[in-house]
């Protein structure tokens, strides 16, 4: 009975504590999540802005190249290419003369276009052979069918194509157009731009550093010369070649990082880049000397949608640093506050339990007190028997042996009553040497017999050598 009641109070106290802990934890998590949302929103907007600007920059070049294409290939050059394509008796000498004529006509245009970032100006014949490379004028007539998929696509569809591609001598963001004469395909023309020209608006707008790294296997399968002669640096960040338009040293200097920290930052990204299951890259950062530097990869894909390169964008970001530092500070403060509040709740629950014990239990005998029994009797309406127990001659025990021994007798009496009642029954210290026992669901006709049984148990109990008897009233 008493254990059950105490378990009830302990369970109630435990539930109060757990409820408070859960509520405080929810508040803690909500506040932390709010900080995370701010950081995520900031980085997401930045990533979206960079990606959108890259798309706009790459596709804006199509307006320029389309204008060049329409102005350059609407007359005499088309006739020349038609002559080369349709005249089966044309000689190599005549083709060379045509080639030189076109070079003379457009060489000045090419030099002017280079000032605006154009890297390649390349005319191909319908069988995919190179006819003129303005950027490599001594190299022509080589077969490109197994290398230049953009050229193959334009020949097949007669529609313009925009895509990044590695060529025999250079890579570039390629804009390839069909050359038609009297509705006959007589060739294709390619304008391609350096990648640094494509991402220059990003560097200026967001004040970032950038590196363009091309997958090694992709380059090795296509280039006609030693890639190191073109790119100069191999296997950067265990991925591929660094494009010649970019400098790792300039990036390190601009970011104020040493090679170890820079490699650590890149390794965060390349764990995802080397994982085939991850296709959407995210901003990663390191904090070095109270400075936050982040990196964000832009995936560069070929005409088939396969990733063949990565543009790594880098920036020291004071705003993001403040957001993360604020989050860490707030997280520590909230966690400390949570611990303090949980401690205060625990103290309050402990005091509540102590109060409940004092309010309902007798401190000496650990039985219910009279205050609790009054509430119990007023609410109890079932069948049962109440025994009013009085220790005989208790004053004599106190006078003879002292109050300490008297208290010991009362304490032992409480333990004895505790042991003889059922779990469903109640034993109460009514006051002084008086006790009350409530037997629930007990036939009152058996009350006198049960009272006599209790008297015998008390008489036979050893109260440290003191003979103790009780008198019991039954109601």
């Amino acid at each position: 009975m008493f254990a059950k009641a105490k378990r009830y109070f302990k369970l109630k106290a435990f539930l109060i504590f757990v409820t408070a802990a859960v509520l405080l934890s929810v508040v803690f998590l909500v506040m932390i999540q709010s900080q995370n949302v701010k950081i995520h929103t900031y980085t997401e907007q930045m990533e979206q802005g960079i990606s959108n600007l890259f798309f706009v920059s790459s596709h804006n070049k199509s307006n320029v190249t389309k204008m060049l294409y329409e102005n350059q290939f609407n007359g005499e050059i088309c006739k020349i290419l038609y002559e080369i394509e349709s005249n089966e008796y044309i000689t190599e000498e005549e083709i060379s003369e045509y080639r030189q004529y076109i070079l003379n006509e457009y060489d000045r245009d090419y030099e002017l276009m280079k000032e605006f970032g154009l890297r390649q100006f390349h005319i191909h014949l319908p069988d995919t052979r190179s006819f003129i490379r303005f950027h490599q004028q001594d190299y022509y007539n080589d077969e490109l069918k197994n290398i230049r998929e953009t050229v193959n696509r334009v020949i097949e569809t007669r529609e313009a194509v925009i895509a990044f591609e590695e060529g025999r001598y250079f890579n570039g963001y390629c804009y390839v157009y069909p050359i038609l004469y009297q509705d006959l395909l007589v060739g294709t023309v390619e304008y391609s731009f350096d990648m640094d020209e494509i991402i220059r608006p990003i560097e200026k707008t967001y004040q970032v550093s950038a590196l363009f790294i091309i997958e090694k296997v992709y380059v090795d399968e296509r280039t006609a010369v030693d890639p190191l002669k073109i790119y100069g640096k191999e296997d950067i960040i265990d991925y591929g070649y660094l494009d010649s338009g970019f400098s790792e040293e300039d990036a390190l200097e601009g970011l104020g990082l040493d090679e170890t920290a820079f490699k650590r930052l890149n390794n965060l990204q390349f764990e995802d880049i080397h994982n085939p299951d991850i296709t959407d890259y995210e901003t990663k950062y390191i904090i070095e000397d109270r400075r936050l530097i982040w990196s964000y990869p832009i995936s560069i894909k070929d005409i088939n949608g396969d990733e063949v390169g990565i543009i790594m964008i880098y920036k020291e970001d004071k705003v993001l640093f403040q957001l993360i530092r604020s989050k860490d500070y707030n997280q520590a403060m909230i966690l400390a506050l949570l611990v303090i509040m949980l401690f205060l709740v625990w103290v309050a629950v402990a005091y509540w339990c102590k109060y409940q014990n004092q309010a309902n239990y007798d401190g000496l005998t650990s039985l219910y007190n009279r205050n609790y029994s009054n509430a119990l009797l007023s609410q109890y309406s079932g069948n049962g028997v109440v025994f009013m127990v009085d220790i005989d001659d208790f004053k004599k025990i106190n006078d003879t042996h002292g109050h300490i021994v008297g208290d010991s007798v009362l304490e032992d009496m409480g333990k004895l009553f505790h042991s003889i009642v059922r779990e469903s029954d109640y034993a109460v210290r009514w006051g002084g040497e008086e006790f009350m026992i409530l037997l629930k669901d007990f036939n009152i006709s058996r009350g006198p017999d049960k009272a006599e049984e209790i008297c015998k148990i008390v008489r036979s109990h050893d109260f440290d050598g003191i003979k103790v008897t009780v008198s019991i009233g039954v109601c």
Side-chain angles (χ1 to χ4, degrees):
M1 171 193 66
F2 305 102
K4 181 179 180 181
K6 288 185 178 181
R7 284 199 303 269
Y8 167 77
F9 285 122
K10 287 182 179 179
L11 177 61
K12 192 171 182 179
F14 174 76
L15 291 176
I16 293 173
F17 181 79
V18 169
T19 302
V22 170
L23 291 175
L24 290 172
S25 298
V26 169
V27 171
F28 170 75
L29 292 174
V30 168
M31 296 179 73
I32 294 302
Q33 183 61 23
S34 175
Q35 295 286 329
N36 289 333
V37 168
K38 287 182 181 179
I39 294 171
H40 177 74
T41 300
Y42 177 81
T43 56
E44 188 177 55
Q45 290 176 346
M46 179 178 58
E47 292 168 0
Q48 192 66 45
I50 290 173
S51 298
N52 289 342
L53 189 53
F54 177 80
F55 177 84
V56 169
S57 178
S58 61
H59 283 71
N60 273 350
K61 293 291 188 290
S62 66
N63 297 328
V64 177
T65 56
K66 186 176 181 181
M67 181 183 67
L68 291 171
Y69 163 68
E70 291 174 347
N71 288 334
Q72 293 173 336
F73 295 92
N74 61 0
E76 186 177 6
I77 302 301
C78 297
K79 290 180 182 179
I80 292 174
L81 293 174
Y82 174 76
E83 173 68 17
I84 295 173
E85 172 64 16
S86 60
N87 186 353
E88 58 182 290
Y89 300 108
I90 192 169
T91 65
E92 284 298 325
E93 184 179 352
E94 290 173 320
I95 292 176
S96 295
E97 290 176 358
Y98 281 139
R99 181 180 292 110
Q100 190 59 50
Y101 173 79
I102 294 174
L103 283 170
N104 293 338
E105 284 292 311
Y106 289 125
D107 192 56
R108 181 178 298 178
D109 288 354
Y110 175 61
E111 292 300 320
L112 181 62
M113 287 188 287
K114 284 200 299 182
E115 294 182 9
F116 293 92
L118 189 77
R119 174 176 275 186
Q120 299 181 70
F121 180 25
H122 193 178
I123 299 174
H124 323 92
L125 297 176
D127 59 3
T128 73
R129 283 181 300 138
S130 171
F131 180 56
I132 299 175
R133 287 185 176 91
F134 283 83
H135 50 286
Q136 291 282 339
Q137 296 181 8
D138 294 333
Y139 297 95
Y140 53 84
N141 219 32
D142 49 317
E143 175 66 54
L144 301 174
K145 185 172 184 179
N146 296 324
I147 298 173
R148 300 302 308 278
E149 295 182 47
T150 54
V151 175
N152 292 332
R153 185 73 59 86
V154 173
I155 291 173
E156 292 172 4
T157 65
R158 294 192 177 193
E159 294 181 354
V161 164
I162 301 174
F164 173 82
E165 193 167 55
E166 176 71 36
R168 282 192 177 275
Y169 300 97
F170 295 105
N171 69 69
Y173 221 87
C174 304
Y175 303 79
V176 186
Y177 298 89
I179 303 174
L180 302 174
Y181 183 77
Q182 296 180 353
D183 202 35
L184 177 69
L185 181 73
V186 295
T188 61
V189 59
E190 168 201 350
Y191 306 91
S192 76
F193 289 84
D194 292 338
M195 189 60 77
D196 60 339
E197 178 67 23
I198 300 294
I199 68 170
R200 187 168 290 122
I202 298 175
E203 293 176 318
K204 290 183 177 179
T205 302
Y206 288 93
Q207 297 296 301
V208 298
S209 300
L211 295 178
F212 177 41
I213 309 151
I214 311 166
E215 192 177 62
K216 185 176 186 299
V217 174
Y218 178 73
V219 174
D220 291 343
E221 289 176 347
R222 287 163 173 77
T223 185
V225 297
D226 182 358
L228 293 180
K229 292 182 179 179
I230 304 173
Y231 295 102
K233 190 158 188 178
E234 181 180 9
D235 285 335
I236 181 172
I237 328 172
D238 192 29
Y239 184 80
Y241 298 101
L242 178 65
D243 186 86
S244 58
F246 300 83
S247 167
E248 188 178 12
E249 289 73 20
D250 289 346
L252 287 170
E253 183 178 349
L255 295 170
L257 289 178
D258 58 32
E259 290 188 6
T260 301
F262 189 59
K263 184 174 182 179
R264 181 158 53 90
L265 175 60
N266 285 320
N267 285 340
L268 291 176
Q269 290 291 3
F270 276 84
E271 289 177 3
D272 290 348
I273 291 171
H274 289 310
N275 187 341
D277 296 328
I278 297 177
T279 56
D280 294 326
Y281 302 132
E282 298 178 345
T283 299
K284 302 289 181 67
Y285 65 87
I286 61 171
I287 296 178
E288 194 79 9
D289 298 328
R290 296 181 61 81
R291 298 164 54 242
L292 183 146
I293 295 92
W294 55 252
S295 64
Y296 174 60
I298 300 175
S299 176
I300 301 301
K301 298 179 180 180
D302 64 10
I303 192 172
N304 297 315
D306 297 325
E307 184 176 279
V308 295
I310 291 290
I311 297 175
M312 294 291 289
I313 307 293
Y314 306 94
K315 183 177 181 178
E316 178 186 350
D317 198 320
K318 296 180 180 178
V319 175
L320 185 58
F321 177 70
Q322 289 297 332
L323 285 173
I324 291 174
R325 188 171 70 169
S326 176
K327 172 201 164 184
D328 293 342
Y329 173 79
N330 290 339
Q331 184 171 325
M333 291 297 295
I334 293 170
L335 184 59
L337 183 61
L338 175 64
V339 171
I340 292 171
M341 293 182 71
L342 287 176
F343 174 75
L344 293 176
V345 170
W346 178 80
V347 171
V349 169
Y351 273 105
W352 179 82
C353 291
K354 183 178 180 181
Y355 170 78
Q356 290 294 327
N357 284 332
Q358 291 174 343
N360 298 318
Y361 291 92
D362 176 65
L364 181 61
T365 63
S366 296
L367 300 179
Y368 290 119
N369 58 26
R370 185 169 182 172
N371 180 60
Y372 182 82
S373 68
N374 289 334
L376 175 67
L377 291 172
S378 66
Q379 296 175 7
Y380 182 69
S381 60
N383 296 324
V385 178
V386 175
F387 299 100
M388 298 303 298
V389 183
D390 185 28
I391 299 177
D392 298 331
D393 298 322
F394 184 71
K395 184 176 183 303
K396 184 178 178 181
I397 295 175
N398 277 334
D399 293 343
T400 304
H401 301 284
H403 287 281
I404 294 177
V405 174
D407 287 347
S408 177
V409 169
L410 292 173
E411 185 178 357
D412 284 352
M413 189 68 72
K415 292 178 181 178
L416 182 61
F417 288 160
H418 190 183
S419 67
I420 64 177
V421 297
R422 299 170 300 179
E423 184 74 16
S424 60
D425 299 332
Y426 294 89
V428 178
R429 185 183 179 191
W430 192 257
E433 69 272 21
E434 296 176 325
F435 296 85
M436 183 192 80
I437 298 175
L438 169 61
L439 301 184
K440 296 173 65 176
D441 299 321
F442 194 85
N443 195 324
I444 194 169
S445 63
R446 295 175 51 208
D449 294 337
K450 185 65 177 176
E452 181 59 32
E453 180 185 336
I454 294 173
C455 288
K456 289 181 179 179
I457 292 173
V458 172
R459 284 196 302 269
S460 63
H461 186 75
D462 181 14
F463 291 89
D464 291 332
I466 299 174
K467 189 67 176 179
V468 179
T469 61
V470 295
S471 299
I472 302 177
V474 181
C475 58

